[in-house]
Amino acid sequence: PVEQPEPDPSKKTLVVLGTGWGSVSLLKKLDTENYNVVVISPRNYFLFTPLLPSCTTGTIEHRSIMEPIRNFLRHKGAAVKFYEAEATKIDYEKKVIYINDDSEIKGAVSQTEVPFDMLVVGVGAENATFGIPGVKEHGCFLKEVNDAQRIRKRIMDCCETATFKDQSPEEVKRLLHMVVVGGGPTGVEFAGELQDFFENDLKKWIPEIASNFRVTLVEALPSVLPMFSKNLIDYTEQTFKEETIEIRNKTMVKNVTEQYIEAEYTNAAGEKVLERIPYGLLVWATGNAVRPVVRDLMGQIPAQKDSRRGLAVNEYLVVKGTENVWAVGDCAVANYAPTAQVAAQEGAFLARLFNQMAKTEEFETELATLSEKQGTAPNKDSRDEVFAQIKDVQKRLRRVKQMGPFEYSHQGSLAYIGSEKAVADISWLTGNLATGGQLTYFFWRSAYLSMCFSTRNRVLVFMDWMKSYIFGRDVSRE
Ligand code: FAD
Ligand code: NAD
């Protein structure tokens, strides 16, 4: 095995937290020769989240959308250190990060600290629960691989338990009621995938459940997918109706117990009603909340005191109130939606910025050396020669320093809505194209296939699609 070299004392230490969309996009484009790069994340892989809903039903196997971080770090020009650990605290004054190995196997050292000169925070967000009682205990989230695995297991558990001998009709109904809370793209895509699973496979393998299996989507706002165009919202709601997914708009979940949720809505008479909705599986997809490590950092920086949704950053993604801390993705507040698209563009921007910063330093050192040389030049000819060199370096330095601020370029929004249909709001030349249906579904498939992290992922996802198409999804409960 190749020994990792010690950090080069002449270079700054750049610590990158997280291995999600923002951090990985930065690492992909970063010239790691310029810094001592340290990556810290509890996850030693990148996860292609747009296809995660497909893993809940086995349309795609989760490993097909995971790419080991070691795979691509080893191709970088200079060694990058990776620690599989969670950053538990960032001490901004001391320029130190406290890390904790939270995995099952622990060595003699499982907690330590990592110093930094420059820091990029790309830790994403956690699941919002709004403090609603029972959500954490009884609901399933859909953010990470283990969430998708847990949901997949539970769907099958509900089906098998519902067919258990002597189960009462009422209990069968409850067990086969799949409730999704949150009508954003996560909730909508999951509901669509689940209904597909039922229509294409479950109904065939377990015909006894056919008359009782139901999917309900609960949304507090007047419609699902509020970020999409009005006609696409209508199209989604109409498609769900045809797929027999019930949408309960303007219904706010207030409490969750092991077997039912309590949701509030306003009835025709204008009265508020609290309804008990029994469920077998509850998937909670109500968006993002700030991670504790980020909240703690915000508390250390006076300029962050008014920020609520994450680290407020300036147009160069510098965390406001700091000089050496940057933030990307869902943990940063830069007035863009918390999406993979934004995080990836922010990461790529930071890579360019850091590459340019290193070049700037290189040119400035070169200029200092040349000025010295000019002062000690023996004659006019050699002084002129050095002068020409200085002019050239100055020109290159000006070009490097000209880097503009981060500008997000929105390529569009895409969501799968079940029964081989998708909706897309695409930025098209000067206008916007809002489209939905089967053709959009093929576009959705090819777009996500092309966006997969690696050729390996692309091949695996394609093979999974073929496998599900030919043999159906696997209904064994692992
Ligand atoms: P993440 O990708 O969440 O990565 C955060 C990283 O930080 C992870 O590696 C995590 O392990 C690590 N981490 C967490 N805590 C710590 C800590 N304390 N210390 C160190 N590391 C830590 N967006 C789209 O644009 N299109 C889509 O189709 C789409 N589909 C989605 C589907 C689903 C099911 C979900 C959940 C999200 C989807 N998104 C989509 C949103 C998108 O995934 C996020 O906006 C994106 O992941 C944000 O990137 P990020 O780098 O900020 O965070
Ligand atoms: P979201 O924030 O987009 O939607 C959450 C929904 O939950 C909201 O509509 C909210 O009104 C509802 N809600 C909140 N509390 C509720 C309650 N108590 N009862 C009922 N409803 C409640 O969350 P998301 O869907 O997880 O998406 C998170 C981010 O990831 C978004 O920026 C989204 O655009 C992005 N994303 C994109 C895609 C895609 O482009 N295909 C897919 C998934 C996620």
Side-chain angles (χ1 to χ4, degrees):
V2 184
E3 281 220 356
Q4 291 228 353
E6 280 306 303
D8 180 343
S10 69
K11 293 179 187 172
K12 285 186 174 157
T13 298
L14 167 64
V15 175
V16 180
L17 299 183
T19 46
W21 279 96
S23 303
V24 164
S25 151
L26 156 70
L27 290 164
K28 253 183 161 177
K29 296 221 158 80
L30 181 73
D31 183 352
T32 50
E33 302 271 1
N34 299 324
Y35 304 95
N36 295 312
V37 183
V38 180
V39 182
I40 299 165
S41 175
R43 208 171 76 183
N44 79 343
Y45 56 87
F46 167 77
L47 177 67
F48 188 77
T49 47
L51 290 177
L52 191 62
S54 302
C55 298
T56 59
T57 57
T59 311
I60 291 175
E61 294 298 334
H62 58 270
R63 283 197 177 264
S64 306
I65 57 166
M66 291 159 66
E67 183 68 20
I69 201 80
R70 305 274 186 187
N71 252 13
F72 88 95
L73 286 186
R74 79 194 159 100
H75 295 303
K76 297 303 292 186
V80 175
K81 278 205 189 320
F82 173 73
Y83 300 127
E84 194 193 68
E86 190 187 336
T88 49
K89 185 178 170 68
I90 299 163
D91 192 323
Y92 172 61
E93 281 296 318
K94 282 197 198 156
K95 292 200 204 166
V96 160
I97 298 151
Y98 296 90
I99 66 168
N100 185 15
D101 173 5
D102 212 12
S103 65
E104 221 168 289
I105 310 278
K106 290 188 177 57
V109 178
S110 62
Q111 289 181 349
T112 185
E113 48 186 79
V114 178
F116 66 86
D117 298 308
M118 295 158 72
L119 171 68
V120 177
V121 188
V123 297
E126 59 178 31
N127 296 290
T129 65
F130 307 103
I132 296 169
V135 175
K136 280 196 177 128
E137 295 82 346
H138 310 297
C140 294
F141 298 117
L142 182 50
K143 198 173 229 346
E144 298 291 342
V145 161
N146 54 0
D147 296 329
Q149 285 173 293
R150 186 163 174 236
I151 293 173
R152 189 172 174 186
K153 219 181 214 176
R154 283 205 178 187
I155 297 169
M156 289 324 301
D157 205 354
C158 285
C159 294
E160 297 298 357
T161 309
T163 55
F164 192 73
K165 190 169 178 293
D166 302 332
Q167 207 70 271
S168 72
E170 207 172 69
E171 189 63 347
V172 171
K173 264 202 171 110
R174 177 185 75 79
L175 287 163
L176 295 176
H177 190 200
M178 313 281 146
V179 173
V180 185
V181 180
T186 304
V188 165
E189 291 194 321
F190 169 69
E193 292 275 356
L194 183 54
Q195 189 67 25
D196 281 359
F197 187 26
F198 170 68
E199 289 296 339
N200 304 339
D201 303 291
L202 288 172
K203 217 156 85 171
K204 284 186 212 147
W205 306 131
I206 324 173
E208 313 88 287
I209 67 167
S211 55
N212 285 309
F213 191 94
R214 279 190 309 138
V215 180
T216 301
L217 182 66
V218 183
E219 167 56 52
L221 296 176
S223 79
V224 297
L225 295 182
M227 66 289 285
F228 279 80
S229 319
K230 173 80 177 77
N231 58 335
L232 293 183
I233 294 174
D234 293 344
Y235 180 76
T236 305
E237 297 195 343
Q238 182 55 34
T239 306
F240 270 25
K241 210 182 230 168
E242 287 158 17
E243 289 169 0
T244 67
I245 298 172
E246 189 188 355
I247 297 182
R248 297 282 307 262
N249 285 333
K250 296 190 194 163
T251 306
M252 167 91 83
V253 178
K254 297 270 178 166
N255 186 34
V256 173
T257 74
E258 201 184 346
Q259 302 201 345
Y260 59 83
I261 57 169
E262 285 182 310
E264 190 181 82
Y265 68 96
T266 307
N267 68 12
E271 298 151 346
K272 286 204 153 68
V273 181
L274 197 64
E275 184 186 349
R276 273 189 184 181
I277 306 175
Y279 70 86
L281 171 78
L282 174 68
V283 172
W284 192 266
T286 62
N288 292 344
V290 181
R291 286 197 192 278
V293 67
V294 172
R295 191 170 293 290
D296 179 80
L297 177 62
M298 287 160 68
Q300 297 170 43
I301 304 163
Q304 296 286 326
K305 85 174 186 328
D306 294 329
S307 187
R308 294 281 163 272
R309 287 178 298 115
L311 290 160
V313 293
N314 72 11
E315 68 276 27
Y316 285 87
L317 307 181
V318 178
V319 172
K320 286 184 182 164
T322 75
E323 279 177 356
N324 55 344
V325 183
W326 291 260
V328 287
D330 287 3
C331 65
V333 180
N335 287 333
Y336 305 113
T339 65
Q341 220 181 127
V342 171
Q345 290 185 27
E346 288 177 341
F349 170 83
L350 274 196
R352 275 200 314 278
L353 185 74
F354 292 163
N355 292 345
Q356 305 246 26
M357 276 164 64
K359 277 242 151 44
T360 307
E361 269 181 40
E362 194 186 297
F363 289 152
E364 278 170 353
T365 318
E366 206 177 326
L367 273 182
T369 318
L370 284 172
S371 309
E372 223 170 85
K373 208 169 151 192
Q374 195 185 24
T376 56
N379 53 45
K380 187 176 177 297
D381 277 357
S382 50
R383 260 200 309 279
D384 284 351
E385 195 186 318
V386 178
F387 183 70
Q389 285 173 348
I390 290 179
K391 280 272 167 226
D392 180 49
V393 177
Q394 276 175 338
K395 207 165 112 195
R396 280 190 282 158
L397 182 64
R398 265 200 305 277
R399 217 176 301 141
V400 163
K401 277 190 164 172
Q402 257 168 14
M403 185 161 167
F406 173 70
E407 269 174 44
Y408 171 61
S409 142
H410 186 62
Q411 307 295 306
S413 306
L414 271 170
Y416 180 61
I417 58 170
S419 60
E420 302 200 341
K421 287 177 184 158
V423 287
D425 260 329
I426 303 162
S427 307
W428 193 258
L429 300 173
T430 49
N432 212 39
L433 180 72
T435 150
Q438 211 144 22
L439 217 61
T440 315
Y441 164 70
F442 291 117
F443 173 70
W444 173 85
R445 274 205 160 182
S446 44
Y448 281 171
L449 199 61
S450 71
M451 278 184 239
C452 276
F453 186 89
S454 61
T455 309
R456 190 186 72 95
N457 284 156
R458 227 162 276 141
V459 171
L460 291 177
V461 166
F462 186 76
M463 281 177 6
D464 286 345
W465 278 338
M466 286 295 122
K467 203 173 67 183
S468 318
Y469 183 72
I470 298 167
F471 302 110
R473 299 167 184 85
D474 186 342
V475 297
S476 40
R477 188 173 75 85
E478 274 180 272

